[in-house]
């Protein structure tokens, strides 16, 4: 148990990014995520909005509670009460920590936009933060607390996206796209400021850290202006493309 939780430091070597252990480990999380997303989505599809929202409330509380426990535990494990500065919810994959509660507890356009935001990014976060997490799986042994909690929170984001679309809570109204841009923009600005002050690499705005963002980091030779602008532009572009594809599919289905 001491080894699993990393108390005193992990003694086992990292199994390696994209090793069979890595792929098998995250695939188990993805299988459970997909099953629960589809199962609960279909189960609540024809129920009232209040009942549907209960699942969203539980999901939001669960995700935030796990993340809070992780921060407290790592501060305790590292004997460093200030370790939380490197674990602020300012990573790209941390956005659901804010968006999920917004979708669960707010009303009106803010609720709609927050739900759509989780739907747009949830599955991307789930797969990029598990299969693409070279920063974690290249550093720690696969079966450990850090990887387990990371896969769990990323899977919850993916589950939420599946549940929201299948249960019928997603609206994807075009007039709400501005709110999605605002949520992302505020996050990026806050992350960039934290990156400079601490310093750190929130939202991967400073470097790729073994993730696919390294492609763009190397492309511009780590330029401190161009690289973060490219990262933010990719996020914005992804939202636009997602909306476009969603409406193309919706239009094609309407013709049938």
């Amino acid at each position: 148990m001491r080894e699993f939780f990393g108390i005193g430091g992990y003694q086992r070597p990292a199994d390696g990014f994209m090793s069979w252990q890595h792929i098998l480990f995250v695939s188990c999380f993805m299988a459970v995520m997909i099953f629960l997303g589809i199962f609960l989505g279909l189960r609540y599809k024809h129920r009232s909005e209040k009942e549907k929202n209960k699942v969203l409330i539980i999901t939001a509380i669960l995700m935030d509670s796990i993340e809070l426990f992780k921060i407290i535990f790592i501060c305790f494990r590292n004997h460093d009460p200030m370790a939380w500065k490197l674990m602020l919810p300012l990573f790209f994959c941390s956005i659901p920590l804010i968006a999920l509660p917004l979708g669960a507890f707010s009303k009106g356009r803010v609720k709609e936009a927050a739900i759509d935001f989780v739907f747009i990014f949830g599955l991307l976060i789930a797969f990029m933060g598990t299969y693409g997490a070279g920063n974690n799986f290249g550093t720690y042994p696969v079966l450990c607390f850090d990887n387990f909690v990371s896969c769990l929170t990323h899977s919850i984001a993916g589950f939420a996206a599946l549940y929201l679309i299948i249960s019928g809570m997603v609206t994807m109204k075009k007039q709400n796209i501005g709110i999605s841009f605002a949520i992302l923009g505020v996050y990026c600005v806050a992350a960039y400021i934290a990156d400079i002050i601490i310093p750190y690499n929130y939202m991967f705005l400073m470097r790729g850290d073994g993730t696919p963002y390294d492609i763009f980091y190397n492309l511009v030779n780590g330029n401190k202006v161009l690289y973060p602008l490219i990262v933010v532009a990719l996020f914005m572009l992804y939202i636009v493309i997602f909306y476009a594809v969603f409406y193309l599919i919706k239009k094609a289905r309407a013709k049938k």
Side-chain angles (χ1 to χ4, degrees), residues 125-144:
I125 286 171
F127 286 99
M128 280 188 63
T130 53
Y131 288 105
N135 53 326
N136 272 7
F137 289 96
T139 305
Y140 309 121
V142 166
L143 189 59
C144 70

Side-chain angles (χ1 to χ4, degrees), residues 66-153:
I66 292 170
E67 188 68 15
L68 180 61
F69 171 76
K70 181 194 80 173
I71 293 171
I72 294 171
F73 175 77
I74 291 179
C75 287
F76 164 78
R77 185 182 70 182
N78 295 355
H79 306 290
D80 181 7
M82 299 305 292
W84 58 267
K85 291 195 296 184
L86 305 183
M87 293 178 284
L88 294 171
L90 292 174
F91 295 102
F92 168 62
C93 299
S94 302
I95 300 180
L97 292 168
I98 307 299
L100 267 174
L102 270 178
F105 296 104
S106 62
K107 295 181 179 180
R109 287 185 62 190
V110 173
K111 182 182 184 69
E112 292 175 351
I115 286 174
D116 292 347
F117 194 93
V118 174
F119 169 57
I120 292 168
F121 285 104
L123 288 175
L124 179 67
I125 286 171
F127 286 99
M128 280 188 63
T130 53
Y131 288 105
N135 53 326
N136 272 7
F137 289 96
T139 305
Y140 309 121
V142 166
L143 189 59
C144 70
F145 174 80
D146 297 75
N147 286 336
F148 184 86
V149 172
S150 177
C151 284
L152 190 57
T153 52

Side-chain angles (χ1 to χ4, degrees), residues 2 10 39 43 45 57 163 241 244 252:
R2 287 176 62 88
Y10 293 113
F39 174 75
R43 184 175 182 180
K45 186 174 184 178
I57 289 173
Y163 170 76
I241 292 173

Side-chain angles (χ1 to χ4, degrees), residues 6-234:
I7 298 173
Y10 293 113
Q11 303 304 311
R12 292 168 295 148
D15 297 288
F17 176 55
M18 286 297 172
S19 63
W20 70 265
Q21 295 95 330
H22 169 202
I23 300 300
L24 177 61
F25 186 72
V26 301
S27 294
C28 290
F29 279 88
M30 293 298 100
V32 174
M33 174 194 85
I34 293 169
F35 170 76
L36 289 177
I38 294 173
F39 174 75
L40 290 176
L42 292 173
R43 184 175 182 180
Y44 283 85
K45 186 174 184 178
H46 300 294
R47 298 195 184 185
S48 67
E49 291 302 312
K50 186 176 181 180
E51 287 184 283
K52 292 178 183 179
N53 199 58
K54 285 181 181 178
V55 176
L56 194 59
I57 289 173
I58 293 170
T59 304
I61 292 173
L62 181 63
M63 188 176 193
D64 283 35
S65 298
I66 292 170
E67 188 68 15
L68 180 61
F69 171 76
K70 181 194 80 173
I71 293 171
I72 294 171
F73 175 77
I74 291 179
C75 287
F76 164 78
R77 185 182 70 182
N78 295 355
H79 306 290
D80 181 7
M82 299 305 292
W84 58 267
K85 291 195 296 184
L86 305 183
M87 293 178 284
L88 294 171
L90 292 174
F91 295 102
F92 168 62
C93 299
S94 302
I95 300 180
L97 292 168
I98 307 299
L100 267 174
L102 270 178
F105 296 104
S106 62
K107 295 181 179 180
R109 287 185 62 190
V110 173
K111 182 182 184 69
E112 292 175 351
I115 286 174
D116 292 347
F117 194 93
V118 174
F119 169 57
I120 292 168
F121 285 104
L123 288 175
L124 179 67
I125 286 171
F127 286 99
M128 280 188 63
T130 53
Y131 288 105
N135 53 326
N136 272 7
F137 289 96
T139 305
Y140 309 121
V142 166
L143 189 59
C144 70
F145 174 80
D146 297 75
N147 286 336
F148 184 86
V149 172
S150 177
C151 284
L152 190 57
T153 52
H154 285 82
S155 297
I156 291 174
F159 158 79
L162 285 172
Y163 170 76
L164 289 169
I165 186 61
I166 294 172
S167 66
M169 293 186 74
V170 170
T171 61
M172 290 294 285
K173 293 179 180 177
K174 293 177 182 178
Q175 60 264 38
N176 291 337
I177 192 171
I179 301 178
S180 293
F181 281 139
I183 294 172
L184 185 59
V186 169
Y187 239 84
C188 288
V189 170
Y192 191 74
I193 292 171
D195 286 338
I196 294 173
I197 294 174
I198 292 175
Y200 201 49
N201 190 30
Y202 288 117
M203 293 286 284
F204 297 104
L205 293 175
M206 298 291 108
R207 57 192 178 277
D209 275 355
T211 67
Y213 295 118
D214 271 334
I215 297 170
F216 303 99
Y217 184 83
N218 295 330
L219 192 65
V220 296
N221 295 317
N223 187 286
K224 293 183 179 181
V225 175
L226 287 178
Y227 172 69
L229 286 176
I230 288 173
V231 172
V232 175
L234 286 172

Side-chain angles (χ1 to χ4, degrees), residues 235-252:
F235 292 146
M236 299 291 189
L237 181 62
Y238 178 77
I239 293 176
V240 173
I241 292 173
F242 198 99
Y243 263 89
V245 172
F246 179 86
Y247 276 97
L248 282 173
I249 294 172
K250 188 176 181 180
K251 187 177 180 179

